[in-house]
Amino acid sequence: MSNTRQPQHPVDASFPGRWSPRAFTGQALCREQLSALFEAARWAPSAMNVQPWRFCYALQGTPLFERFVDLLAEGNQVWAKHAGALVALLSTTSYVGSDGSEKPFASHAFDAGAAWMSLALQARSMGLVTHAMGGFDNVRARDYLRVPDNLAINAFIAIGYQGDAAQLPEALQAREKASDRHPQEQWTFEGPLG
Ligand SMILES: Cc1cc2nc3c(=O)[nH]c(=O)nc-3n(C[C@H](O)[C@H](O)[C@H](O)COP(=O)(O)O)c2cc1C
């Protein structure tokens, strides 16, 4: 399925060009590819340069991958099981201040979001597609990934080679196209909110 998105204003093609398909070929990613994706994430900005992101990953074809799939919501498992890799994006909800005490880290999810977008755009530049998922079992995922109290799981991310939409269950085939966005006028304000 093609991406026919039309930007309202001229922007780099990577922005409207990135979208979240569900059809993956099932081809595994290699470690070098994953390292390149994490390298892009590594250069994301973060408050005080805390770099709160943490990534747990599993490559297609490994026993780990099956375990990761099992942590997803059933509606996501159906298609995400064909991804080339699954990644959980976590972030540290606290940091150690200059006085040595642990403090809440307010921007952890914001910063992790920047890392996710960097990864997604890097993936696109490598001919890969990405699909973030909030649909996962947080309790079981925390347990399996051994997540301590001061980390949050923000999302799982399916990464891989885009597959043929015809392989998807019928209900998902109709949704296998790039979505549009609200016009800027609806969410930009010169000064206070309208
Ligand atoms: C944090 C987050 C959670 C999401 N959770 C899911 C999910 O559980 N299942 C799913 O199919 N898509 C999920 N999506 C994908 C969004 O629906 C998708 O990004 C959005 O519709 C915009 O489409 P685009 O990414 O193709 O531009 C999620 C995206 C984000 C950023």
Side-chain angles (χ1 to χ4, degrees), residues 5 18-20 22 76 79 116 131-135 155 179 181:
R5 286 173 166 173
R18 182 221 55 84
W19 66 289
S20 307
R22 292 186 177 84
N76 288 330
W79 53 268
W116 139 243
H131 197 133
M133 292 167 281
S179 54
R181 292 293 188 270

Side-chain angles (χ1 to χ4, degrees), residues 5-192:
R5 286 173 166 173
Q6 296 295 331
Q8 267 183 290
H9 299 275
V11 287
D12 188 272
S14 59
F15 296 106
R18 182 221 55 84
W19 66 289
S20 307
R22 292 186 177 84
F24 289 90
T25 62
Q27 184 180 336
L29 260 61
C30 65
R31 285 176 196 282
E32 289 70 25
Q33 286 171 308
L34 264 188
S35 297
L37 298 175
F38 293 145
E39 185 63 20
R42 180 174 171 236
W43 293 104
S46 61
M48 297 171 287
N49 202 15
V50 162
Q51 306 163 61
W53 44 78
R54 302 287 183 273
F55 292 90
C56 296
Y57 64 87
L59 292 168
Q60 172 69 260
T62 65
L64 269 181
F65 187 86
E66 303 300 322
R67 301 297 306 270
F68 273 51
V69 170
D70 182 56
L71 299 172
L72 302 176
E74 276 178 30
N76 288 330
Q77 289 187 15
V78 177
W79 53 268
K81 65 184 178 190
H82 299 298
L86 284 171
V87 172
L89 172 48
L90 303 86
S91 51
T92 55
T93 58
S94 64
Y95 73 105
V96 179
S98 50
D99 61 359
S101 70
E102 192 171 348
K103 302 177 193 302
F105 189 55
S107 70
H108 71 95
F110 182 87
D111 298 347
W116 139 243
M117 193 58 178
S118 299
L119 180 152
L121 293 176
Q122 175 65 26
R124 182 180 179 274
S125 79
M126 293 162 60
L128 300 168
V129 293
T130 51
H131 197 133
M133 292 167 281
F136 62 89
D137 187 324
N138 192 50
V139 173
R140 284 200 303 120
R142 290 189 72 89
D143 181 53
Y144 176 66
L145 299 172
R146 296 189 217 115
V147 181
D149 286 346
N150 70 334
L151 262 85
I153 308 176
N154 296 293
F156 276 66
I157 304 166
I159 310 169
Y161 293 93
Q162 190 175 354
D164 187 349
Q167 79 186 50
L168 290 169
E170 219 163 287
L172 290 181
Q173 288 183 24
R175 295 169 62 189
E176 191 70 346
K177 51 180 184 276
S179 54
D180 205 355
R181 292 293 188 270
H182 303 307
Q184 284 191 26
E185 295 70 28
Q186 282 184 17
W187 46 267
T188 60
F189 308 91
E190 184 168 6

